[in-house]
Amino acid sequence: MQTIESISELRSTLSNHRSDSFQLGFVPTMGALHEGHLSLIRRSVKENDSTVVSIFVNPLQFDNVSDLESYPKVLEEDLSLIKECGVDYVFIPDEEEFYREKPLVSVNFGALASRLEGKFRKGHFEGVGIVVSKLLHLVDPDGVYFGLKDLQQYLLIKRMCADLSFRCEVIGVDTVRESSGLALSSRNRRLSDGGKEIAAVLSKALFQIEDDLLNGMSLPLALTKAQELCQITSGFDLEYLEAINTSDLSNVDNYEIGSELAVCIAGYVEGVRLIDNLYLRPK
Ligand code: AMP
């Protein structure tokens, strides 16, 4: 496994591989890897001739300095996990080189970025748009892998790649969970054991909605019931619970079994902000 820090080394190394038949997979991450990241990485390794994983805590996507500063950094651990997956290249950009100048150009996702996460994390998706665009230009993969755990991010990146004609396919990978249902997240490292038990309420609320909908309950009632579950869970502060249409992220208030629907949730446990979603798709 080759660890690459400079843009010139990345370009020259990858140029040795470019050919019509060679498939390159790419998994962008911010490190502090867990089984969720590893499922993306393993999928890329399986589906491609070679895989690049990047580790970069992108300052542009944090609206809160303490969130950025407290982001877990465990590089040695990450490198050994990536190596075990059979990855060929790890790109760890040097921030000084990557953002030699703060980008003037911005990626504006319009109304899509002003909803859900975008409403509560100002500038977050603009920062994600810039870092993903730069990484995709540098790596130029055939397939890029994103977790459906960050559903809004996946939908926005898919749209950006279509609008701006990036040649890669954007592949969404299902969320990996603990046995309690809690979605794996690098932020879970900041929770106590008790906090993790409380945090299982996010997935509990979503799975309850799924059961209720499949049993014929109306969407507004299922949402209200789930909100009540969140409210009675002490130690959990619900930020939002919304049912959305995945094409324009607008709110929806009815669901027909077999149609497409996403329910997104965000909230705080022990000061840590957590998100999750239920993504129902036609079979
Ligand atoms: P991050 O390091 O948080 O930027 O995440 C890197 C990638 O891993 C993103 O595409 C995330 O959506 C994905 N990811 C994070 N948590 C999970 C999870 N529990 N299951 C699947 N993918 C995940």
Side-chain angles (χ1 to χ4, degrees):
M1 186 171 83
Q2 185 178 341
T3 302
I4 301 173
E5 289 179 14
S6 82
I7 289 176
S8 57
E9 187 185 349
L10 180 80
R11 284 198 162 123
S12 64
T13 305
L14 295 180
S15 70
N16 297 332
H17 289 309
R18 305 271 179 224
S19 75
D20 286 349
S21 61
F22 187 85
Q23 289 285 314
L24 183 65
F26 176 43
V27 184
T29 81
M30 297 204 297
L33 304 183
H34 50 64
E35 276 299 317
H37 298 106
L38 299 184
S39 72
L40 272 61
I41 295 173
R42 289 195 195 102
R43 172 118 177 239
S44 174
V45 168
K46 194 165 147 216
E47 294 179 352
N48 296 282
D49 297 306
S50 199
T51 288
V52 178
V53 174
S54 66
I55 300 178
F56 184 57
V57 181
N58 173 36
L60 296 191
Q61 70 190 68
F62 286 80
D63 59 340
N64 177 323
V65 181
S66 76
D67 198 19
L68 172 62
E69 283 169 354
S70 61
Y71 204 84
K73 291 188 187 69
V74 284
L75 187 58
E76 290 310 314
E77 219 177 278
D78 288 345
L79 291 176
S80 77
L81 289 171
I82 297 171
K83 196 169 175 189
E84 280 169 26
C85 294
V87 166
D88 298 304
Y89 306 107
V90 184
F91 179 41
I92 308 174
D94 169 49
E95 191 180 322
E96 290 281 298
E97 187 192 25
F98 196 77
Y99 289 131
R100 199 169 288 289
E101 284 195 274
K102 188 160 186 267
L104 271 181
V105 171
S106 65
V107 180
N108 182 341
F109 294 96
L112 296 193
S114 62
R115 304 191 34 76
L116 303 167
E117 287 302 281
K119 191 159 150 195
F120 292 93
R121 301 183 70 190
K122 291 279 166 248
H124 172 67
F125 287 117
E126 289 73 8
V128 170
I130 284 289
V131 76
V132 174
S133 302
K134 283 175 72 95
L135 288 169
L136 288 179
H137 282 307
L138 294 170
V139 177
D140 189 20
D142 297 279
V144 62
Y145 295 77
F146 283 93
L148 295 177
K149 148 93 171 25
D150 298 288
L151 183 64
Q152 189 176 10
Q153 169 174 278
Y154 163 76
L155 295 170
L156 266 59
I157 296 296
K158 221 173 149 58
R159 183 64 196 259
M160 177 184 86
C161 288
D163 285 1
L164 299 181
S165 303
F166 281 88
R167 76 176 183 91
C168 59
E169 187 188 348
V170 181
I171 299 139
V173 180
D174 285 336
T175 302
V176 178
R177 301 176 179 280
E178 289 192 359
S179 55
S180 67
L182 174 64
L184 298 190
S185 163
S186 309
R187 291 164 187 261
N188 295 355
R189 290 174 185 248
R190 288 159 52 196
L191 295 173
S192 68
D193 288 345
K196 281 192 185 171
E197 277 175 34
I198 298 169
V201 71
L202 284 96
S203 58
K204 248 184 237 152
L206 295 170
F207 295 147
Q208 179 185 297
I209 292 172
E210 182 175 20
D211 280 349
D212 285 344
L213 291 176
L214 297 180
N215 285 323
M217 189 182 282
S218 73
L219 180 56
L221 192 55
L223 287 173
T224 305
K225 244 188 91 190
Q227 256 150 5
E228 283 164 8
L229 172 66
C230 295
Q231 272 154 13
I232 59 166
T233 303
S234 96
F236 180 60
D237 268 331
L238 179 66
E239 192 165 62
Y240 65 73
L241 175 67
E242 293 187 41
I244 56 148
N245 162 333
T246 51
S247 45
D248 65 2
L249 309 188
S250 62
N251 286 114
V252 290
D253 53 16
N254 71 322
Y255 171 71
E256 271 175 40
I257 293 178
S259 62
E260 181 156 332
L261 171 80
V263 182
C264 300
I265 186 169
Y268 285 85
V269 176
E270 296 178 334
V272 180
R273 189 169 185 284
L274 301 168
I275 61 170
D276 200 350
N277 67 81
L278 168 72
Y279 187 15
L280 299 174
R281 283 156 282 179
K283 288 256 154 42

